[in-house]
Amino acid sequence: MLSIFDLAALLLTLSALFGWLNRRFVRLPHSIGLLILGLLASLLLVLLDLLFPAQHLYEELTRALQQIDFTQVVMNGMLAFLLFAGALNLNLEAMRERAWPIALLALVATVISTAVVGAGLWGAAQAIGRPLPLSWALVFGALISPTDPVAVLSTLKNVDVPKALEIEMQGEALFNDGVGVVLFTILLGYAAGAGGGEHGTGEVVRLLVQEAAGGLLLGVITGYIAYRAMRAVGDFPVEVLITLALVAGTYAVAQKLGTSGPLAVVAAGLLVGDRAPRDAMSQRTQGYVSALWTLVDEVLNSVLFLLIGLEVLVLRFEVSAIILAAAAVPIVLAARAIAVAMPLLLVRWTDLFSARNLPFLTWAGVRGGISVALALSLPEVPDKPAILAATYAVVLFTIIVQGSTLGIVARRTLR
């Protein structure tokens, strides 16, 4: 049994090794390269184990990975720090100017995509003779529809797009998690029969307000307290420590209050990132804070994408679910196209959206660790293997194929 330190050492060592190999030989974007190398290493170990079954070549690594609760590591560990790091450097004024497009993409598009994906996967399952209840198909739609903020922000680092469009994508990815998690919770209750039928329209609205509005309000309050505390001191180690405490404290309090932790840390990061550099941090402090959160972002991103690749070793997919997983990829892609097109119809009389951006917005709908974490958190029901296989297929396709070709799509579709 490996200790927590041993596990951390293993993941950091593999991240550094694969990062070096990618930079030296493969030359893919860092996160995509780590994911692919981790996946290839996993598949190679599986293949070697099939060829030499008596050797148990990957048994030790598999046991180590089984000690890691992926859902807990992502949702209650990495996510808070990654979201804060992403929000800290965003332009709050630019996001205010694009508030309506961001809100429509984060709320309306997520709901539409959930319904379309759910209906599409249910129909595909019936067609291939692998029935999947509509309730569980909708659960899959809810967990796969929100674009992953970590994956999107990581992908955008390597793509040159107009600033307004970049702001919309960043804002959508940062804010649609609250909507997605609420939908996931409600639909999971219906599917599992855990009192989900009690959620009427009023209850759904209440949950949305509690999760989304409550999380945003909490983040504004804690962010403002942190900003005032930083303004009252001029010592950079203390101010750096305040930012770390802000993230961990805000996320922990949000969980206790039943509000959205991701939205809370995003709101806190936007407020601190907007106000603190103006009158609360010296140039020296800004340098240290920026360096710290850039480092946190890069290290945690590296470990997360490596984990996604290595998780193949511990996941067990049913053969019958592979075909359904393959069908899920075009279904999710089509749902994304429909979901981003609908807001265009709603505001077609304004210049907030442009039809020429639709191909890029569709292809930029990258999913990542959050979808995998939600799928792994499902109860052990007969339909879980199929949902997990479909989730993994979509995540791998969006990160590897869409993420690596997004620059080409941008150059051909954006003017």
Side-chain angles (χ1 to χ4, degrees), residues 60-81:
E60 195 68 28
L61 181 56
T62 302
R63 277 203 300 265
L65 291 172
Q66 286 174 335
Q67 292 177 237
I68 301 173
D69 188 329
F70 190 90
T71 302
Q72 289 295 319
V73 168
V74 175
M75 301 303 292
N76 298 325
M78 293 182 177
L79 185 60
F81 294 91

Side-chain angles (χ1 to χ4, degrees), residues 67-264:
Q67 292 177 237
I68 301 173
D69 188 329
F70 190 90
T71 302
Q72 289 295 319
V73 168
V74 175
M75 301 303 292
N76 298 325
M78 293 182 177
L79 185 60
F81 294 91
L82 286 167
L83 289 178
F84 184 84
L88 195 62
N89 295 313
L90 293 186
N91 187 326
L92 184 58
E93 186 59 38
M95 292 192 71
R96 287 196 192 102
E97 293 175 358
R98 311 299 297 176
W100 272 111
I102 290 172
L104 288 171
L105 287 171
L107 179 58
V108 177
T110 302
V111 173
I112 293 173
S113 177
T114 297
V116 174
V117 169
L121 192 72
W122 176 79
Q126 302 299 317
I128 65 176
R130 207 280 182 203
L132 181 70
L134 180 59
S135 58
W136 284 108
L138 288 171
V139 168
F140 171 73
L143 69 87
I144 207 68
S145 289
T147 54
D148 187 281
V150 179
V152 170
L153 294 177
S154 176
T155 302
L156 283 176
K157 294 177 183 177
N158 307 293
V159 182
D160 184 24
V161 298
K163 194 63 180 176
L165 182 58
E166 182 180 2
I167 291 294
E168 289 175 16
M169 292 175 59
Q170 291 171 335
E172 178 201 8
L174 286 170
F175 287 108
N176 64 9
D177 288 314
V179 178
V181 170
V182 172
L183 288 174
F184 173 80
T185 303
I186 295 170
L187 292 171
L188 179 59
Y190 276 108
E198 298 176 3
H199 291 313
T201 304
E203 181 67 7
V204 171
V205 173
R206 187 194 68 79
L207 285 172
L208 280 171
V209 171
Q210 178 180 319
E211 283 273 345
L216 292 172
L217 178 61
L218 174 64
V220 169
I221 293 172
T222 57
Y224 184 75
I225 293 172
Y227 155 70
R228 296 295 300 185
M230 295 169 71
R231 189 177 179 184
V233 298
D235 189 21
F236 77 85
V238 176
E239 294 178 76
V240 168
L241 188 59
I242 287 172
T243 63
L244 290 169
L246 171 62
V247 178
T250 299
Y251 204 87
V253 171
Q255 289 182 314
K256 296 296 183 183
L257 296 178
T259 60
S260 173
L263 289 180

